[in-house]
Every structure is written in structure tokens, then in C-alpha cells.
Amino acid sequence: MRQVAARRAATVAVAAAVASLTTGAALAHDGGVARVTNANDAGPGSLRAAIERASADPSIRRIELRPRLAPIALAQPVAFTGAQSLAIDGNGATIDGGALDPAAEHAILVSGGGDLTVTWLTVRDAPQQGLTYEVPAAATGVKRVVLHGVEVLGNGGHGVLVDDQVDPEDTGNQDGSPASLDVRVVGSRFADNGFGALDRDGLRIDEGGVGTLRATISLSRFEHNGADGVELDERGLGDAVFRVSGTQISRNGSFDVTEADLDDGMDVDEWGEGALIGTVLASSASDNFEEGWDFNENEAGDFRVDMALVEASRNREEGVDFEEDDDVQGGGDLVTTLVGLRTEGNGPGGDAGLKIRERGDGLLRATVRGARADGNLTGGVNLREQGAGDLAASLSRVVSTGNGTAGIALREDDAGSLSGTIDRSTADGNVGDGIDLDENADGDLTVTASRGSASGNVVGVRADQGGTGVGALQLVAMALVGNTTAPTVANPGVTVTETP
């Protein structure tokens, strides 16, 4: 009887244990959701266990962390290798990589090829990358990464790296998967990353191969990262397309103490055949150690970027730097509309608070309205076209005062004409000329400046016509007083008409 009772007791204990394990498993994996219930580095209920389970079970598409968890101190990186899309809901949790081996390349690695969504999670203090999304070499279609309410702080490498390039360190290597990237960042913060090595950014997106890079960034902050606050690098066939709104980018790019390789607030590079297409709204890139907004399109393709209500002040080089065919010329137009732009106190490096340059075959067409470019240590507004193509500029209500060279400079260097209107604008008190117009090769100069002021400069308005073209400068109701050399200076190729 005693043996029977003992066996019954043992059976009951085993059944209870099985029920307990089954209940625990249901709690940890319920309807495609793996739940993180504690802050342990490993073991049941841990983040590592949830990610390992999701990697092995394609039905798990969501990981939820329990609210109010203590920081999760990782002893080893965690890696998700499943091919399915995955959403990680941090519920305000923190992933702490401070105890990782210095050689650990990431705190979190996602490499299976599915889409990734991360919400309300902090990743901090990893010795290298905080979060890496790695695109498989054979991936196709569009790979989507969404970061919502994410904080990425104090990681030694890139805060977040989205990588679809064979060799990001070699700018000549344009290889990558056939897939495109679509990255969206909302209400997130990237701060103090990138002080473990050169060229490590707050957010870095690398796209290679035939795909397109799309990035949408809104209501976010990028502060005091060692290299760029944001870098988008598109190589090979495909476009770089981005939209930034309600975002502040400040004090980035200081890591190289030799100052040989300082970096920008936001840097976009498009290499290979493809266009650079972007919109920036109600955002700022100020107090960065190189340019504020630095956008470059190289080889065949157009540059089409518009800005409204944007600031770029107190950067060490240009506040806004648009370059088409700067490093590698392949043809394409540069077309931009800038409304309500503010670029003040930039320099001493660079050429101007606002610099726009088109170098290869193609036109430059720029519309600038309601902008300010004051107190820059070099120029205020500088538009320049090089290579075959025209420069067409429309400036209205632009204020460019107290700059170290010209207030407003329009320059066409090669085969092509310079045409422009400068209306109700002020170019006063600059160390150089107020308005400087140069047509330096075969092509015509046709500019009208009206209802504005170019006073207190070296020359109020200067116009030079080179080559075989015809120059015509019309001044209508312009205040040209107190200039130290003359109100206007024009070479023999330019006819000046002044109307009170």
C-alpha cells in the first residue's frame, strides 16, 4: 500500500510539473508571440530564449518584453536568423551591451531576410554596433525596417546599421543583394554612438546592387554621434529616396580629433546609375563638425531635393551642400526648391551657408524663397554650374548679410547660359560683393535684380561675361549705397540697365 501511495504521489508530482511546463511554454509562446518575462541574459523567459525560439520556429513573428523589466545585460550578442518577418515590442525595456566582449560586432543581429519592426526599446553601450540588420546576399524584393520609439545610445560603432553592401569600406565596390531597402524611423533618438572607430554613425543605411534605398525619418533626434548623425549610402543601380520631417540633427561628427575626417549632420551619397530624390521639412542640422545637410549624387542620374522650413547653422563647413556629379561625373540635372531656409554662422571651411553645385553635363535650376544666410564665415548663397548645361536661378525674399565673401553668388563656368531673377532680396554688409554674377564661358548672362538692396559691400552688384555670349543685367529699384568700390561693376560684355 505504501508503494502504491508513493507511485500515486509521484504521478501527481510529474503531472503537476508537466502542467507547469506546458503553462510556462504557453505563456512564452502564445499565438505566434514569444514573451520575455525576466531580465536574465539566458534561460526560460529571457530575451535570448525568445529570439532563439523565434529563429527556430517560423510561426513566431513577434517578441514582447514585459513592461518595467530591469535592463537586460547581455553576456553575448543575440542573433535572430529566422527568415520570417519579426516585430520586437520592447515596452520600454533596455538592452545593455556594456558587458559584451570588445570584439563583439553587435548587441543584436538580425540576418534572416524578413522585415523587422522594433518599438519602444533602448539599445545602449555595445562596444561596436548596437543593432544590425544584415541583408542576405541572395535577397530580393523590398526589405523593410521600422524603428518606432527607439533609443540607441552610447554604442561604440554605428548605433543602428542596415547593411546591404558587400564592402561598405570600399566606395568603389557597388555590389550588394538584388533587394531594395525601405527604412522608417519615427520618434526615435540616436545619441553618443560612434566613438569606438572612425566613420561610425548614429544611423547608417548601406544599399548596394540593383535595389533602391528609401528612408523616411520623422520626429527624431540625432545628437553627438562620432561620425554622421545619419548616413545613407546607395551604390549601384537604383535611387536614393528620402524624406525627413520634424527632426533635429546636432553636434555630430567630432570623433576624429585630428580633424582630418570630421563628419556631417546628415550625409546622403548616391553612386552609380540612379537619382537622388529627397524632401526635408521642418527640421534642423546645426552645430555639426562638417556640413549640416550634405547630399551628393554621382555618375548618371538626377539630383532633386526640396526643403521647407529647414535650419542649418553653426556647422564648421557648409550649412547646406548640394552636389551633383561632384566626385564622379556622369550627367544629370540638379533641380531644387528651398523655402524658408536658414543658414547662419557656418564656416570657416566650405564655400557658403548654402552651396549648390552641378558639375557634369546637365542643368542647375534652383528656386530659393524666404531664406536667410547671415554671418557665414565664407559666402552666404553660392550657386554654381560646371560642365555643359545652364544655370537658372529664381531668388525671392532672400536675406544674405554679413558674410565673409559674397552675399549671393551665381556662377556658370562652362558651355551654358546663366539666367536669374533676384527679387525683394537683401545682400548687405558682406566682406566681398553683395551680388556676384559670373558667366565664364560661351553662353549668355541674363539677370534681373529688383526691389532689393546690395549695400555696404565691396561692390553692390558685380557682373562678368566671358566667352562669346551676351550679358544683360537689369537693376530695378535697387538700393546700392555705401559700397566701398562702386555700386555696380560690369565688364565690357555686360549691358547694365538701371531703373529707379
Side-chain angles (χ1 to χ4, degrees), residues 62-86:
R62 185 176 184 84
I63 293 175
E64 291 185 0
L65 283 72
R66 192 185 72 191
R68 297 181 295 278
L69 278 180
I72 299 172
L74 297 180
Q76 299 291 333
V78 292
F80 172 68
T81 58
Q84 74 272 30
S85 296
L86 182 70

Side-chain angles (χ1 to χ4, degrees), residues 192-209:
D192 302 312
N193 303 287
F195 287 90
L198 285 173
D199 197 26
R200 299 297 185 265
D201 312 306
L203 169 63
R204 175 74 168 262
I205 305 173
D206 289 334
E207 198 284 325

Side-chain angles (χ1 to χ4, degrees), residues 90-368:
N91 272 313
T94 294
I95 309 302
D96 188 340
L100 293 172
D101 187 295
E105 295 185 10
H106 339 266
I108 301 173
L109 172 64
V110 176
S111 61
D115 297 341
L116 174 68
T117 299
V118 182
T119 57
W120 307 114
L121 184 70
T122 296
V123 182
R124 73 183 190 200
D125 297 335
Q128 297 190 48
Q129 278 61 254
L131 168 64
T132 297
Y133 178 92
E134 192 171 273
V135 180
T140 59
V142 179
K143 301 305 174 185
R144 295 177 174 86
V145 177
V146 177
L147 306 175
H148 190 162
V150 169
E151 288 198 304
V152 187
L153 311 174
N155 299 285
H158 302 296
V160 171
L161 171 62
V162 180
D163 187 14
D164 183 26
Q165 290 180 354
V166 170
D167 186 359
E169 304 298 329
D170 178 9
T171 59
N173 189 333
Q174 299 186 357
D175 294 334
S177 82
S180 294
L181 295 177
D182 185 348
V183 180
R184 305 190 179 199
V185 179
V186 182
S188 297
R189 180 170 175 250
F190 300 72
D192 302 312
N193 303 287
F195 287 90
L198 285 173
D199 197 26
R200 299 297 185 265
D201 312 306
L203 169 63
R204 175 74 168 262
I205 305 173
D206 289 334
E207 198 284 325
V210 299
T212 285
L213 187 163
R214 295 182 182 274
T216 304
I217 300 171
S218 61
L219 304 174
S220 295
R221 302 179 69 175
F222 299 83
E223 305 168 313
H224 194 241
N225 296 286
D228 302 310
V230 181
E231 179 167 348
L232 312 181
D233 190 354
E234 197 284 327
R235 302 180 190 170
L237 297 174
D239 302 331
V241 183
F242 62 92
R243 180 183 177 88
V244 179
S245 61
T247 290
Q248 288 75 50
I249 304 175
S250 63
R251 298 182 296 116
N252 300 285
S254 67
F255 176 67
D256 186 358
V257 294
T258 69
E259 301 194 0
D261 188 23
L262 298 172
D263 283 287
D264 312 308
M266 182 172 180
D267 184 1
V268 182
D269 293 301
E270 198 284 326
W271 300 82
E273 294 186 21
L276 190 156
I277 303 168
T279 302
V280 184
L281 303 172
S283 297
S284 65
S286 297
D287 300 295
N288 298 287
F289 280 72
E290 202 167 76
E291 286 97 349
W293 308 97
D294 181 15
F295 302 156
N296 297 274
E297 195 283 327
N298 286 288
E299 302 179 78
D302 292 339
F303 181 119
R304 297 177 182 269
V305 175
D306 297 331
M307 287 183 162
L309 303 177
V310 168
E311 181 168 11
S313 297
R314 300 175 304 280
N315 301 286
R316 290 198 181 183
E317 293 193 7
E318 292 90 357
V320 174
D321 185 7
F322 290 177
E323 300 268 7
E324 199 279 330
D325 278 352
D326 182 27
D327 296 298
V328 182
Q329 298 178 22
D333 299 332
L334 194 164
V335 180
T336 182
T337 297
L338 308 174
V339 179
L341 181 68
R342 190 180 190 96
T343 62
E344 299 182 332
N346 297 285
D351 296 311
L354 167 61
K355 173 186 174 182
I356 302 173
R357 181 169 67 170
E358 198 284 327
R359 292 192 65 185
D361 292 346
L363 62 83
L364 191 167
R365 185 167 68 243
T367 300
V368 184

